Amino acid sequence: MRVGFIGCVDSSRAALQTLVKIKGLTVAAVVTRGESAVNADFCDLTSLCVERGIPFHIENPKDREASVGFLETFDLDVIFCIGWSYLLSEKMLALPRLGVIGFHPARLPSNRGRHPIIWALALGLEETASTFFLMDVGADSGPIVSQVPVTIESSDNATRLYEKIIQISQIQLTEVGANLVSGTVTFTEQEHSQATYWRKRGRKDGTIDFRMSAMSIHNLIRALAPPYPGAEFLFDEAHHIVQSSSISPESYPINIEPGKVLSKTIDGLLVKTAGSEAIWLYGVEPCDIDVGDYL
């Protein structure tokens, strides 16, 4: 079975490494990017392609049709698209005999759309999923090929959740590939009436407002941990990035205003939040802030 591959992030590389090991599959061609301004987890796949002798095409975003032209010369049975920042054209979707299989780290049909790992953590969800599906012209709306629930622990940040999802997805991918080879793969239509969508995240979504609860701020900080750019707050007309946080177990007078710095250590700031709560902020960059300042 001849396979095409499209992707340009860390999860793409993990998937490609898995696909080339599946008996009966031949990864015939790869479309990737040479750089990306929109993918914080961008990964160069060309070295892996060279190592494995796989023909590749570096897409020019101003000439996406060239990617179709490249792949259509390989007589593909299926394409895997994992880690791509925009919807594929109808011509690309129709190119392989069995269609294009995409990946979305959410429990479809819920939470289609953008930034699923960030939103799952920022909103305090306790579970997400790793989902492979047959791509169509919609956003994450095609029939499901494989879906496995993923528990979100309170200690998970974006890095740990991303790693957990990648590990689970590679087990699924091995099974999906084997089922494609044997002709036993199944596709289950989504319940479209139950669909929900997450919007594209903007910079303001990563801005801490200390009138929020301590838990909401903590969730935002862990959601934007690496590979993402980090939650931030504005102080003295400068943006300060926060690496991690913990909620203070102590209660504080409700008449202390949110945003007041209550304490400072070598690596942390204790800041009053909503109600009687406070939060420790760690790895603040830059940290020219003192006790008594208001953030």
Side-chain angles (χ1 to χ4, degrees), residues 16 31 37 61 64 80 82 94 102 104 144 154-155 164 177 182 185 195 199 201 220 238 244 247 250 282 289 294:
L16 186 55
V31 169
R64 296 175 181 173
F80 284 88
I82 299 172
H104 189 66
I144 291 172
S154 60
S155 59
K164 186 186 300 185
S182 66
V185 68
R199 62 174 170 81
R201 184 191 69 86
L220 181 61
S244 61
I247 298 171
E250 306 294 329
Y282 303 111
I289 297 166
Y294 287 92

PDB file of all heavy atoms in Angstrom, residues 16 31 37 61 64 80 82 94 102 104 144 154-155 164 177 182 185 195 199 201 220 238 244 247 250 282 289 294:
ATOM      1  N   LEU A  16       5.405   9.937  11.186  1.00  0.00           N
ATOM      2  CA  LEU A  16       6.154   9.452  10.030  1.00  0.00           C
ATOM      3  C   LEU A  16       7.103   8.326  10.436  1.00  0.00           C
ATOM      4  O   LEU A  16       7.247   7.326   9.723  1.00  0.00           O
ATOM      5  CB  LEU A  16       6.926  10.608   9.395  1.00  0.00           C
ATOM      6  CG  LEU A  16       7.654  10.323   8.078  1.00  0.00           C
ATOM      7  CD1 LEU A  16       6.710   9.763   7.026  1.00  0.00           C
ATOM      8  CD2 LEU A  16       8.324  11.606   7.567  1.00  0.00           C
ATOM      9  N   VAL A  31       4.999  15.760   1.842  1.00  0.00           N
ATOM     10  CA  VAL A  31       4.898  17.210   1.676  1.00  0.00           C
ATOM     11  C   VAL A  31       5.093  17.843   3.042  1.00  0.00           C
ATOM     12  O   VAL A  31       4.441  17.450   4.027  1.00  0.00           O
ATOM     13  CB  VAL A  31       3.523  17.623   1.098  1.00  0.00           C
ATOM     14  CG1 VAL A  31       3.332  19.138   1.180  1.00  0.00           C
ATOM     15  CG2 VAL A  31       3.405  17.161  -0.356  1.00  0.00           C
ATOM     16  N   ALA A  37       5.813  30.093  10.651  1.00  0.00           N
ATOM     17  CA  ALA A  37       5.637  31.178  11.619  1.00  0.00           C
ATOM     18  C   ALA A  37       4.429  30.937  12.513  1.00  0.00           C
ATOM     19  O   ALA A  37       4.231  31.649  13.497  1.00  0.00           O
ATOM     20  CB  ALA A  37       5.486  32.510  10.885  1.00  0.00           C
ATOM     21  N   PRO A  61       3.671  28.240   0.560  1.00  0.00           N
ATOM     22  CA  PRO A  61       2.275  28.548   0.902  1.00  0.00           C
ATOM     23  C   PRO A  61       1.552  29.374  -0.143  1.00  0.00           C
ATOM     24  O   PRO A  61       0.318  29.407  -0.171  1.00  0.00           O
ATOM     25  CB  PRO A  61       2.393  29.301   2.231  1.00  0.00           C
ATOM     26  CG  PRO A  61       3.807  29.754   2.310  1.00  0.00           C
ATOM     27  CD  PRO A  61       4.617  28.743   1.568  1.00  0.00           C
ATOM     28  N   ARG A  64       0.162  26.264  -3.258  1.00  0.00           N
ATOM     29  CA  ARG A  64      -0.239  24.989  -2.685  1.00  0.00           C
ATOM     30  C   ARG A  64      -0.598  23.963  -3.752  1.00  0.00           C
ATOM     31  O   ARG A  64      -0.529  22.757  -3.517  1.00  0.00           O
ATOM     32  CB  ARG A  64      -1.421  25.203  -1.728  1.00  0.00           C
ATOM     33  CG  ARG A  64      -1.055  26.062  -0.526  1.00  0.00           C
ATOM     34  CD  ARG A  64      -2.263  26.374   0.344  1.00  0.00           C
ATOM     35  NE  ARG A  64      -1.885  27.207   1.472  1.00  0.00           N
ATOM     36  CZ  ARG A  64      -2.761  27.745   2.325  1.00  0.00           C
ATOM     37  NH1 ARG A  64      -4.068  27.519   2.153  1.00  0.00           N
ATOM     38  NH2 ARG A  64      -2.340  28.495   3.324  1.00  0.00           N
ATOM     39  N   PHE A  80      -1.763  10.490   4.858  1.00  0.00           N
ATOM     40  CA  PHE A  80      -1.914  10.894   6.256  1.00  0.00           C
ATOM     41  C   PHE A  80      -1.511  12.356   6.364  1.00  0.00           C
ATOM     42  O   PHE A  80      -0.428  12.747   5.908  1.00  0.00           O
ATOM     43  CB  PHE A  80      -1.035  10.044   7.178  1.00  0.00           C
ATOM     44  CG  PHE A  80      -1.563   8.657   7.420  1.00  0.00           C
ATOM     45  CD1 PHE A  80      -1.237   7.623   6.566  1.00  0.00           C
ATOM     46  CD2 PHE A  80      -2.400   8.400   8.497  1.00  0.00           C
ATOM     47  CE1 PHE A  80      -1.724   6.341   6.778  1.00  0.00           C
ATOM     48  CE2 PHE A  80      -2.897   7.125   8.721  1.00  0.00           C
ATOM     49  CZ  PHE A  80      -2.557   6.091   7.856  1.00  0.00           C
ATOM     50  N   ILE A  82      -0.944  15.030   9.233  1.00  0.00           N
ATOM     51  CA  ILE A  82      -0.805  15.164  10.683  1.00  0.00           C
ATOM     52  C   ILE A  82       0.103  16.347  10.995  1.00  0.00           C
ATOM     53  O   ILE A  82       1.294  16.340  10.681  1.00  0.00           O
ATOM     54  CB  ILE A  82      -0.230  13.863  11.290  1.00  0.00           C
ATOM     55  CG1 ILE A  82      -1.177  12.697  11.002  1.00  0.00           C
ATOM     56  CG2 ILE A  82       0.005  14.033  12.790  1.00  0.00           C
ATOM     57  CD1 ILE A  82      -0.647  11.344  11.377  1.00  0.00           C
ATOM     58  N   ALA A  94      -9.256  14.336  -2.826  1.00  0.00           N
ATOM     59  CA  ALA A  94      -9.712  13.321  -3.778  1.00  0.00           C
ATOM     60  C   ALA A  94      -8.558  12.545  -4.407  1.00  0.00           C
ATOM     61  O   ALA A  94      -8.788  11.565  -5.127  1.00  0.00           O
ATOM     62  CB  ALA A  94     -10.542  13.978  -4.873  1.00  0.00           C
ATOM     63  N   GLY A 102      -6.728  12.345   8.713  1.00  0.00           N
ATOM     64  CA  GLY A 102      -6.195  13.427   9.518  1.00  0.00           C
ATOM     65  C   GLY A 102      -6.163  13.059  10.989  1.00  0.00           C
ATOM     66  O   GLY A 102      -6.619  11.986  11.405  1.00  0.00           O
ATOM     67  N   HIS A 104      -6.656  14.806  15.090  1.00  0.00           N
ATOM     68  CA  HIS A 104      -7.086  15.936  15.916  1.00  0.00           C
ATOM     69  C   HIS A 104      -7.085  15.498  17.381  1.00  0.00           C
ATOM     70  O   HIS A 104      -7.768  14.525  17.733  1.00  0.00           O
ATOM     71  CB  HIS A 104      -8.499  16.382  15.512  1.00  0.00           C
ATOM     72  CG  HIS A 104      -8.941  17.660  16.157  1.00  0.00           C
ATOM     73  ND1 HIS A 104      -8.336  18.864  15.899  1.00  0.00           N
ATOM     74  CD2 HIS A 104      -9.924  17.916  17.049  1.00  0.00           C
ATOM     75  CE1 HIS A 104      -8.939  19.821  16.605  1.00  0.00           C
ATOM     76  NE2 HIS A 104      -9.898  19.269  17.310  1.00  0.00           N
ATOM     77  N   ILE A 144     -14.821   9.007  11.831  1.00  0.00           N
ATOM     78  CA  ILE A 144     -13.737   8.659  12.751  1.00  0.00           C
ATOM     79  C   ILE A 144     -13.171   7.288  12.408  1.00  0.00           C
ATOM     80  O   ILE A 144     -13.906   6.322  12.197  1.00  0.00           O
ATOM     81  CB  ILE A 144     -14.240   8.712  14.206  1.00  0.00           C
ATOM     82  CG1 ILE A 144     -14.521  10.177  14.593  1.00  0.00           C
ATOM     83  CG2 ILE A 144     -13.215   8.092  15.167  1.00  0.00           C
ATOM     84  CD1 ILE A 144     -15.193  10.339  15.935  1.00  0.00           C
ATOM     85  N   SER A 154      -4.097  16.878  36.773  1.00  0.00           N
ATOM     86  CA  SER A 154      -3.959  18.251  37.276  1.00  0.00           C
ATOM     87  C   SER A 154      -2.520  18.748  37.149  1.00  0.00           C
ATOM     88  O   SER A 154      -2.271  19.950  37.089  1.00  0.00           O
ATOM     89  CB  SER A 154      -4.408  18.323  38.734  1.00  0.00           C
ATOM     90  OG  SER A 154      -3.623  17.467  39.548  1.00  0.00           O
ATOM     91  N   SER A 155      -1.568  17.823  37.086  1.00  0.00           N
ATOM     92  CA  SER A 155      -0.157  18.195  36.955  1.00  0.00           C
ATOM     93  C   SER A 155       0.277  18.378  35.500  1.00  0.00           C
ATOM     94  O   SER A 155       1.398  18.807  35.238  1.00  0.00           O
ATOM     95  CB  SER A 155       0.723  17.127  37.607  1.00  0.00           C
ATOM     96  OG  SER A 155       0.499  15.859  37.001  1.00  0.00           O
ATOM     97  N   LYS A 164       1.989  12.987  25.960  1.00  0.00           N
ATOM     98  CA  LYS A 164       1.073  11.886  26.253  1.00  0.00           C
ATOM     99  C   LYS A 164       0.231  11.554  25.019  1.00  0.00           C
ATOM    100  O   LYS A 164       0.050  10.379  24.669  1.00  0.00           O
ATOM    101  CB  LYS A 164       0.172  12.278  27.431  1.00  0.00           C
ATOM    102  CG  LYS A 164      -0.730  11.173  27.947  1.00  0.00           C
ATOM    103  CD  LYS A 164      -1.693  11.703  29.013  1.00  0.00           C
ATOM    104  CE  LYS A 164      -0.986  12.272  30.213  1.00  0.00           C
ATOM    105  NZ  LYS A 164      -1.959  12.662  31.270  1.00  0.00           N
ATOM    106  N   GLY A 177      -2.739   1.616  10.489  1.00  0.00           N
ATOM    107  CA  GLY A 177      -1.954   1.198   9.336  1.00  0.00           C
ATOM    108  C   GLY A 177      -2.121  -0.277   9.027  1.00  0.00           C
ATOM    109  O   GLY A 177      -2.287  -0.665   7.858  1.00  0.00           O
ATOM    110  N   SER A 182      -4.724  -4.701   5.757  1.00  0.00           N
ATOM    111  CA  SER A 182      -5.576  -5.897   5.732  1.00  0.00           C
ATOM    112  C   SER A 182      -6.954  -5.633   5.139  1.00  0.00           C
ATOM    113  O   SER A 182      -7.727  -6.573   4.905  1.00  0.00           O
ATOM    114  CB  SER A 182      -5.734  -6.460   7.145  1.00  0.00           C
ATOM    115  OG  SER A 182      -6.450  -5.547   7.975  1.00  0.00           O
ATOM    116  N   VAL A 185     -10.064  -1.690   7.943  1.00  0.00           N
ATOM    117  CA  VAL A 185     -10.286  -0.391   8.575  1.00  0.00           C
ATOM    118  C   VAL A 185     -11.760  -0.007   8.467  1.00  0.00           C
ATOM    119  O   VAL A 185     -12.423  -0.293   7.470  1.00  0.00           O
ATOM    120  CB  VAL A 185      -9.392   0.693   7.932  1.00  0.00           C
ATOM    121  CG1 VAL A 185      -9.809   0.985   6.497  1.00  0.00           C
ATOM    122  CG2 VAL A 185      -9.375   1.955   8.762  1.00  0.00           C
ATOM    123  N   ALA A 195     -21.657  18.500  17.541  1.00  0.00           N
ATOM    124  CA  ALA A 195     -20.372  19.154  17.283  1.00  0.00           C
ATOM    125  C   ALA A 195     -20.259  20.508  17.978  1.00  0.00           C
ATOM    126  O   ALA A 195     -21.226  21.271  18.065  1.00  0.00           O
ATOM    127  CB  ALA A 195     -20.180  19.336  15.784  1.00  0.00           C
ATOM    128  N   ARG A 199     -12.306  28.288  18.608  1.00  0.00           N
ATOM    129  CA  ARG A 199     -11.812  29.313  17.697  1.00  0.00           C
ATOM    130  C   ARG A 199     -10.296  29.431  17.762  1.00  0.00           C
ATOM    131  O   ARG A 199      -9.637  28.879  18.647  1.00  0.00           O
ATOM    132  CB  ARG A 199     -12.434  30.670  18.041  1.00  0.00           C
ATOM    133  CG  ARG A 199     -12.075  31.170  19.439  1.00  0.00           C
ATOM    134  CD  ARG A 199     -12.582  32.580  19.670  1.00  0.00           C
ATOM    135  NE  ARG A 199     -12.463  32.997  21.064  1.00  0.00           N
ATOM    136  CZ  ARG A 199     -11.349  33.443  21.605  1.00  0.00           C
ATOM    137  NH1 ARG A 199     -10.228  33.526  20.887  1.00  0.00           N
ATOM    138  NH2 ARG A 199     -11.319  33.828  22.866  1.00  0.00           N
ATOM    139  N   ARG A 201      -6.869  30.967  18.670  1.00  0.00           N
ATOM    140  CA  ARG A 201      -6.398  31.720  19.823  1.00  0.00           C
ATOM    141  C   ARG A 201      -5.617  32.939  19.380  1.00  0.00           C
ATOM    142  O   ARG A 201      -4.838  32.890  18.415  1.00  0.00           O
ATOM    143  CB  ARG A 201      -5.492  30.814  20.675  1.00  0.00           C
ATOM    144  CG  ARG A 201      -4.997  31.441  21.965  1.00  0.00           C
ATOM    145  CD  ARG A 201      -3.907  30.584  22.578  1.00  0.00           C
ATOM    146  NE  ARG A 201      -2.688  30.618  21.792  1.00  0.00           N
ATOM    147  CZ  ARG A 201      -1.746  31.550  21.911  1.00  0.00           C
ATOM    148  NH1 ARG A 201      -1.896  32.545  22.784  1.00  0.00           N
ATOM    149  NH2 ARG A 201      -0.659  31.504  21.170  1.00  0.00           N
ATOM    150  N   LEU A 220      -4.461  28.626  32.580  1.00  0.00           N
ATOM    151  CA  LEU A 220      -3.970  29.376  31.423  1.00  0.00           C
ATOM    152  C   LEU A 220      -2.454  29.244  31.299  1.00  0.00           C
ATOM    153  O   LEU A 220      -1.919  29.052  30.198  1.00  0.00           O
ATOM    154  CB  LEU A 220      -4.361  30.848  31.558  1.00  0.00           C
ATOM    155  CG  LEU A 220      -3.944  31.773  30.410  1.00  0.00           C
ATOM    156  CD1 LEU A 220      -4.577  31.335  29.097  1.00  0.00           C
ATOM    157  CD2 LEU A 220      -4.312  33.219  30.725  1.00  0.00           C
ATOM    158  N   ALA A 238       5.359  46.712  29.939  1.00  0.00           N
ATOM    159  CA  ALA A 238       6.165  45.614  29.393  1.00  0.00           C
ATOM    160  C   ALA A 238       5.429  44.298  29.587  1.00  0.00           C
ATOM    161  O   ALA A 238       4.724  44.101  30.579  1.00  0.00           O
ATOM    162  CB  ALA A 238       7.527  45.557  30.077  1.00  0.00           C
ATOM    163  N   SER A 244       5.579  28.905  34.829  1.00  0.00           N
ATOM    164  CA  SER A 244       4.759  27.934  35.564  1.00  0.00           C
ATOM    165  C   SER A 244       4.147  28.619  36.771  1.00  0.00           C
ATOM    166  O   SER A 244       4.456  29.780  37.075  1.00  0.00           O
ATOM    167  CB  SER A 244       5.587  26.716  35.992  1.00  0.00           C
ATOM    168  OG  SER A 244       6.638  27.107  36.860  1.00  0.00           O
ATOM    169  N   ILE A 247      -1.042  27.251  42.925  1.00  0.00           N
ATOM    170  CA  ILE A 247      -2.049  27.984  43.683  1.00  0.00           C
ATOM    171  C   ILE A 247      -1.673  27.971  45.158  1.00  0.00           C
ATOM    172  O   ILE A 247      -1.367  26.911  45.721  1.00  0.00           O
ATOM    173  CB  ILE A 247      -3.437  27.363  43.468  1.00  0.00           C
ATOM    174  CG1 ILE A 247      -3.816  27.449  41.990  1.00  0.00           C
ATOM    175  CG2 ILE A 247      -4.488  28.056  44.334  1.00  0.00           C
ATOM    176  CD1 ILE A 247      -5.059  26.677  41.639  1.00  0.00           C
ATOM    177  N   GLU A 250      -3.018  29.114  51.075  1.00  0.00           N
ATOM    178  CA  GLU A 250      -3.457  30.067  52.087  1.00  0.00           C
ATOM    179  C   GLU A 250      -4.611  30.930  51.586  1.00  0.00           C
ATOM    180  O   GLU A 250      -4.806  31.105  50.392  1.00  0.00           O
ATOM    181  CB  GLU A 250      -2.290  30.982  52.490  1.00  0.00           C
ATOM    182  CG  GLU A 250      -1.034  30.248  52.934  1.00  0.00           C
ATOM    183  CD  GLU A 250      -1.248  29.471  54.217  1.00  0.00           C
ATOM    184  OE1 GLU A 250      -2.070  29.909  55.040  1.00  0.00           O
ATOM    185  OE2 GLU A 250      -0.601  28.428  54.392  1.00  0.00           O
ATOM    186  N   TYR A 282       6.103  31.519  38.626  1.00  0.00           N
ATOM    187  CA  TYR A 282       7.516  31.153  38.583  1.00  0.00           C
ATOM    188  C   TYR A 282       8.113  31.433  37.206  1.00  0.00           C
ATOM    189  O   TYR A 282       7.436  31.361  36.183  1.00  0.00           O
ATOM    190  CB  TYR A 282       7.680  29.663  38.902  1.00  0.00           C
ATOM    191  CG  TYR A 282       7.095  29.261  40.230  1.00  0.00           C
ATOM    192  CD1 TYR A 282       5.969  28.451  40.288  1.00  0.00           C
ATOM    193  CD2 TYR A 282       7.670  29.702  41.428  1.00  0.00           C
ATOM    194  CE1 TYR A 282       5.419  28.079  41.508  1.00  0.00           C
ATOM    195  CE2 TYR A 282       7.131  29.338  42.651  1.00  0.00           C
ATOM    196  CZ  TYR A 282       6.000  28.527  42.681  1.00  0.00           C
ATOM    197  OH  TYR A 282       5.459  28.171  43.888  1.00  0.00           O
ATOM    198  N   ILE A 289      10.079  43.253  39.421  1.00  0.00           N
ATOM    199  CA  ILE A 289       8.834  43.534  40.145  1.00  0.00           C
ATOM    200  C   ILE A 289       9.089  43.329  41.633  1.00  0.00           C
ATOM    201  O   ILE A 289       9.788  42.399  42.033  1.00  0.00           O
ATOM    202  CB  ILE A 289       7.721  42.601  39.643  1.00  0.00           C
ATOM    203  CG1 ILE A 289       7.449  42.865  38.165  1.00  0.00           C
ATOM    204  CG2 ILE A 289       6.445  42.782  40.458  1.00  0.00           C
ATOM    205  CD1 ILE A 289       6.628  41.792  37.483  1.00  0.00           C
ATOM    206  N   TYR A 294       1.511  46.482  41.750  1.00  0.00           N
ATOM    207  CA  TYR A 294       0.228  45.994  41.240  1.00  0.00           C
ATOM    208  C   TYR A 294       0.401  45.579  39.773  1.00  0.00           C
ATOM    209  O   TYR A 294       0.865  46.368  38.951  1.00  0.00           O
ATOM    210  CB  TYR A 294      -0.846  47.078  41.360  1.00  0.00           C
ATOM    211  CG  TYR A 294      -1.296  47.308  42.776  1.00  0.00           C
ATOM    212  CD1 TYR A 294      -0.678  48.272  43.570  1.00  0.00           C
ATOM    213  CD2 TYR A 294      -2.335  46.566  43.325  1.00  0.00           C
ATOM    214  CE1 TYR A 294      -1.073  48.489  44.880  1.00  0.00           C
ATOM    215  CE2 TYR A 294      -2.747  46.759  44.633  1.00  0.00           C
ATOM    216  CZ  TYR A 294      -2.116  47.717  45.407  1.00  0.00           C
ATOM    217  OH  TYR A 294      -2.513  47.921  46.708  1.00  0.00           O
TER     218      TYR A 294
END
